[in-house]
Amino acid sequence: MQAKNISSSVKKKDHDGKVSGQLAYIGDVKLDSMLYGLLYRSPIAYGKIRSIKLPPMPEGYMKVGAEHIPGANFVKLLHQDQPIFADEWVHYIGEPMFMLVGPKLDILHGLAAAVEVDFEEHPAVCTLEEAIALKDQTGVFASHEFGERMDVIQAIEATAHRIIEETYETGYQEHVYLEPQSMLGIYEANGIRVEGSMQCLYYVKNALISALSCADDEVRVVQSPTGGGFGGKEDFPSLMACHVGIAAKAAQQPVMLLYDRHEDFEVTTKRHPAKFNYRTAIDDQGRILSMTVELFLDGGANAGLSPVVLQRALLNSAGVYRIPHFHAKGYALRTNTVPNGAFRGFGAPQSFAAIESVLGHISKDVNQDPIAYKRSYVVRQGDPTITGGRFKDPVLMDDMIQDLLQAVDYAKKRTEFNAVNKHNKRYKKGIGASLFLHGCGFTGSGERDHIRAIVKLAKTAGDRVQIKISNSDMGQGAITTMCKIVAHELELPYDDVSFPYPDTRVVPDSGPTVASRTTMIVGKLLERAARKLKGCWQAGAAQEVVEHYVHEQMIPWDEAAFTGDAYPAYSWGVNIVELEADTLTGNVRIDKVYGSFDIGKAIDEQIVKGQIDGGMAQGLAYGYMEKMTSKLGKIQQKSISDYGPPTSMDVVRIDSKLYDNPFAGGPYGAKGVGELPLTGGAPAVQAAIEDALQLSFYHIPVTPELIIDQLSKKAGD
């Protein structure tokens, strides 16, 4: 069966396996003669390894380290600064030094406890503040500066009515995917096969080829069913794949590496902590004349993806606003802490939390309603971007804001809340909003110059079609979405199209599963491939068609100058949150959540609804619940209960609405949806807490402890 409207929902391809619990994750796999790996990690933040003394190894057990790496001892990504095994210096607590391998995990733990390592410790940089103070000495992974000339800004500031400055900070965020990181390396006669939980098969394959110094056909990477990623399985799995690949080659047996939740929390990448310094010149009517921002990201010990996370953070530092005379500069800095990496939103959630806070505070300062004030600056179709690009497609934000204000009866609600708060000494009600966007796909010309995606469709003699792409389904619904696109274009029954978990031996490189690109970029390629196949369809014959990425015409992107069109399309969102704050305990109870989204066209409304609900829950929690801290370079939270993500009891019904605004460059008009819904949660909840308590906050998460502290200061305690 095939629905006429592609947005109509269908049963997900992986529904039965997941609902029944029968779908096997990599940790469920047991092979004959399979060994386990246990990583020995640095217990210090920075130092030189003087000596390592191992206990006697029982038969069947071995140490695997840098001496077993036939190729380069670094994870192939952007910079060559992340060792696979640290063999001379260690740069953060938890850095892998070597792996113990053997058939029994309990024996491996006993052996690891008996290892003796002598270090020469050196002073470590353990906080972002220290890194900012020492950035000229300790290292800058990347920096960019762009926008209005500073002499122009200074001239404007010299005649401005007022200059308003705000420093804003965001903390770590942990992915909390359902399935911890896991990887299996298998030694085969013709090479190494690695299977595991991952988002980017060819990142993993390229890292393995570099580490194993082998030919392309000697490495095979297979995605296993993946229990969530949120960016946490973008860059990190390459390190684990190198560990099991090298170990499997050394032992000539399969080697499984499974992290438990504690290990996953302590050593895997997180959302970058960030600090922003905004400076805004306004006139005597409260109108913005100019704005500058300086932002800093804590990259951790290795560059990883920090340089590109910094790019997206900077590109979103003006939010959805048409700010006159905007200037930005930013740095991704090195610290001796766990490396930070990709996370849903990729730097944008930090920037939107900051700019929404800044404009909200300015609106209060000039005695204007925050939504009305922000609305007056929202960009429109044809406006320039902050990099000199152009918002070339229709921007529906004004309609989305107006519709949502009417839906929640905003003016009436504010009056009611004010009346309630006047008489209730303990519980205070508040309402807050956020306006946001997400640039879809890779920044600038990344798709054309670096990814160069290729897709294939293979038709069998039985007239069934198989999708061959390297993109991962990690729970977001890619398998179902892609099958729907191909089936719809070919006018085939949905059940006649399949999308097996990808294997680099049979699928081309269609790019990583990141940047909200899978549906828009890869889905468009599949739509075109299906159209091509339809044009040459021969019933009863096996056929294969290939389609290559074609770059859309844009204002050319100059990465050095940071000018041009950063993205081919933008998705847009508006969130409103209603809540109640307890002034005695500091606890916050969210009562209602509303969201309006323009994602072009929904390929499957139920899947999109799932992305919206999950993303908004993750974004709201980033704003007031989830707190992760590092002390002297060591992550303090060891479990989910230590960290505090929301449970089902914390998430209320989310009223969301989609706006049709088809984008010609996406399949059936679809734009990116994966990252957008997370972005607006934190700033909306912060604005609502501020409205309830009539306080201003300059840091997320706004925890009960922070609320009590601010209330105490307000009361003069």
Side-chain angles (χ1 to χ4, degrees):
M1 292 290 291
Q2 185 186 80
K4 289 184 179 177
N5 182 357
I6 195 167
S7 299
S8 299
S9 297
V10 300
K11 182 179 176 181
K12 288 178 71 176
K13 292 277 187 180
D14 52 356
H15 173 89
D16 290 343
K18 287 185 173 174
V19 170
S20 66
Q22 297 302 304
L23 189 68
Y25 292 103
I26 194 66
D28 298 316
V29 173
K30 301 287 185 292
L31 301 178
D32 292 340
S33 73
M34 189 174 81
L35 306 176
Y36 291 93
L38 180 69
L39 288 162
Y40 187 89
R41 300 179 179 281
S42 169
I44 67 169
Y46 184 37
K48 190 171 186 179
I49 303 167
R50 286 190 178 122
S51 65
I52 298 172
K53 183 180 179 183
L54 298 174
M57 289 284 152
E59 185 177 350
Y61 290 79
M62 64 185 294
K63 173 212 171 205
V64 176
E67 66 276 17
H68 292 95
I69 302 174
N73 184 12
F74 62 83
V75 179
K76 184 177 172 62
L77 199 60
L78 300 177
H79 292 200
Q80 299 178 5
D81 67 341
Q82 185 179 12
I84 297 167
F85 292 116
D87 61 347
E88 186 178 359
W89 288 83
V90 290
H91 296 87
Y92 67 97
I93 292 173
E95 182 169 8
M97 294 173 56
F98 54 85
M99 185 156 70
L100 299 175
V101 175
K104 298 285 187 185
L105 267 173
D106 55 344
I107 293 177
L108 291 174
H109 281 285
L111 291 170
V115 171
E116 296 177 13
V117 181
D118 182 28
F119 294 100
E120 177 185 291
E121 281 201 65
H122 288 249
V125 176
C126 294
T127 67
L128 181 56
E129 284 299 324
E130 293 171 25
I132 293 169
L134 298 170
K135 72 176 190 302
D136 294 336
Q137 295 93 51
T138 57
V140 177
F141 294 133
S143 66
H144 296 284
E145 183 169 6
F146 64 98
E148 183 61 276
R149 294 198 335 257
M150 281 308 295
D151 61 322
V152 174
I153 299 271
Q154 288 161 1
I156 292 169
E157 289 185 350
T159 58
H161 176 65
R162 288 177 58 198
I163 306 296
I164 298 175
E165 295 183 83
E166 176 165 335
T167 295
Y168 189 87
E169 296 177 89
T170 65
Y172 284 113
Q173 189 177 22
E174 175 67 32
H175 304 87
V176 202
Y177 25 67
L178 290 174
E179 179 201 18
Q181 302 275 1
S182 47
M183 203 69 67
L184 172 64
I186 302 172
Y187 177 78
E188 297 177 329
N190 56 351
I192 294 295
R193 182 169 96 237
V194 169
E195 299 181 8
S197 189
M198 65 184 79
Q199 295 177 223
C200 310
L201 277 78
Y202 276 87
Y203 285 5
V204 171
K205 181 175 179 179
N206 293 334
L208 282 164
I209 290 172
S210 170
L212 296 172
S213 189
C214 63
D216 183 88
D217 61 357
E218 293 178 293
V219 170
R220 179 182 176 189
V221 177
V222 183
Q223 186 217 353
S224 58
T226 299
F230 310 118
K233 293 170 184 174
E234 177 175 344
D235 49 329
F236 193 83
S238 294
L239 175 63
M240 291 185 73
C242 289
H243 289 151
V244 298
I246 292 162
K249 185 178 176 70
Q252 299 194 359
Q253 287 177 250
V255 176
M256 177 76 84
L257 184 58
L258 300 171
Y259 287 3
D260 63 18
R261 189 64 71 175
H262 178 190
E263 187 175 21
D264 203 302
F265 263 48
E266 189 170 37
V267 303
T268 61
T269 52
K270 329 243 171 256
R271 188 183 298 288
H272 293 71
K275 180 176 182 178
F276 300 78
N277 295 318
Y278 276 91
R279 184 178 167 91
T280 309
I282 62 171
D283 67 12
D284 58 358
Q285 301 298 308
R287 292 176 296 223
I288 295 173
L289 301 175
S290 69
M291 181 181 284
T292 65
V293 59
E294 185 179 40
L295 76 85
F296 304 92
L297 296 182
D298 179 350
N302 311 127
L305 293 171
S306 294
V308 277
V309 173
L310 174 67
Q311 288 183 2
R312 197 175 277 268
L314 281 166
L315 292 167
N316 289 287
S317 58
V320 297
Y321 305 113
R322 190 178 62 255
I323 303 290
H325 304 291
F326 185 81
H327 179 94
K329 62 179 174 180
Y331 307 86
L333 301 178
R334 182 196 306 275
T335 58
N336 294 113
T337 59
V338 62
N340 296 307
F343 199 128
R344 194 177 192 177
F346 215 71
Q350 295 97 314
S351 290
F352 274 98
I355 186 66
E356 288 295 289
S357 175
V358 167
L359 259 67
H361 293 158
I362 293 174
S363 72
K364 282 192 279 188
D365 196 285
V366 300
N367 201 28
Q368 294 188 33
D369 176 82
I371 298 179
Y373 188 76
K374 292 177 180 178
R375 191 176 176 183
S376 67
Y377 286 97
V378 170
V379 297
R380 300 174 186 278
Q381 184 179 15
D383 279 349
T385 69
I386 58 173
T387 57
R390 189 73 55 183
F391 291 104
K392 60 183 173 52
D393 295 316
V395 178
L396 307 184
M397 284 292 278
D398 203 57
D399 290 341
M400 292 162 64
I401 295 167
Q402 183 60 34
D403 290 351
L404 204 48
L405 291 178
Q406 289 179 353
V408 304
D409 208 348
Y410 177 73
K412 182 181 177 185
K413 193 118 350 154
R414 292 210 71 175
T415 303
E416 289 175 358
F417 285 5
N418 287 338
V420 169
N421 293 344
K422 197 171 181 181
H423 294 96
N424 195 323
K425 299 295 183 187
R426 178 172 174 180
Y427 298 102
K428 305 292 183 183
K429 288 188 171 293
I431 183 168
S434 62
L435 315 179
F436 49 97
L437 59 75
H438 190 82
C440 307
F442 269 77
T443 301
S445 55
E447 292 284 350
R448 181 193 63 195
D449 299 339
H450 303 298
I451 304 301
R452 305 184 189 98
I454 303 170
V455 306
K456 286 183 182 177
L457 289 178
K459 184 176 89 65
T460 68
D463 291 342
R464 300 173 74 87
V465 175
Q466 188 178 92
I467 295 171
K468 294 186 176 181
I469 56 175
S470 61
N471 300 91
S472 306
D473 191 311
M474 47 192 153
Q476 85 281 34
I479 292 175
T480 302
T481 300
M482 296 303 172
C483 288
K484 285 187 72 175
I485 291 169
V486 171
H488 201 84
E489 193 63 29
L490 287 170
E491 299 182 82
L492 278 182
Y494 166 67
D495 290 340
D496 286 358
V497 180
S498 63
F499 174 8
Y501 285 96
D503 175 345
T504 58
R505 183 155 292 178
V506 294
V507 303
D509 186 356
S510 56
T513 314
V514 302
S516 300
R517 65 179 291 279
T518 302
T519 299
M520 189 178 88
I521 301 291
V522 184
K524 186 66 178 179
L525 286 175
L526 287 172
E527 181 192 39
R528 285 173 30 209
R531 195 173 303 142
K532 184 187 287 185
L533 178 59
K534 189 177 181 181
C536 62
W537 186 276
Q538 298 176 38
Q543 294 174 271
E544 185 170 273
V545 296
V546 179
E547 193 67 28
H548 296 260
Y549 174 75
V550 177
H551 197 63
E552 184 173 337
Q553 289 299 317
M554 305 192 300
I555 298 174
W557 174 250
D558 183 333
E559 188 163 311
F562 241 60
T563 59
D565 273 323
Y567 302 103
Y570 296 86
S571 296
W572 305 83
V574 181
N575 287 172
I576 288 183
V577 170
E578 297 175 21
L579 55 75
E580 182 179 272
D582 184 341
T583 60
L584 181 64
T585 65
N587 284 320
V588 168
R589 187 194 72 204
I590 291 182
D591 292 328
K592 292 184 178 176
V593 177
Y594 307 88
S596 291
F597 299 94
D598 164 13
I599 58 159
K601 178 76 173 177
I603 298 299
D604 186 292
E605 288 180 346
Q606 196 62 35
I607 287 176
V608 170
K609 175 68 175 169
Q611 290 277 32
I612 289 172
D613 287 359
M616 290 188 72
Q618 208 167 22
L620 291 165
Y622 181 46
Y624 82 114
M625 294 183 73
E626 297 181 357
K627 185 171 184 178
M628 177 163 275
T629 54
S630 172
K631 184 177 181 181
L632 299 176
K634 186 175 180 62
I635 295 293
Q636 298 297 290
Q637 287 69 28
K638 297 180 179 178
S639 67
I640 288 177
S641 55
D642 284 349
Y643 175 57
T647 69
S648 58
M649 298 295 287
D650 298 305
V651 181
V652 299
R653 173 183 168 80
I654 294 171
D655 289 321
S656 57
K657 179 179 178 181
L658 295 176
Y659 286 73
D660 251 13
N661 187 16
F663 166 58
Y668 301 98
K671 298 187 284 191
V673 64
E675 295 168 280
L676 178 77
L678 183 145
T679 305
V685 78
Q686 178 190 329
I689 293 171
E690 291 184 341
D691 182 57
L693 300 174
Q694 295 300 295
L695 287 171
S696 295
F697 294 90
Y698 303 93
H699 184 279
I700 55 169
V702 184
T703 60
E705 293 79 9
L706 185 59
I707 288 173
I708 293 300
D709 179 65
Q710 291 300 305
L711 285 170
S712 298
K713 287 177 180 172
K714 183 180 180 182
D717 289 353

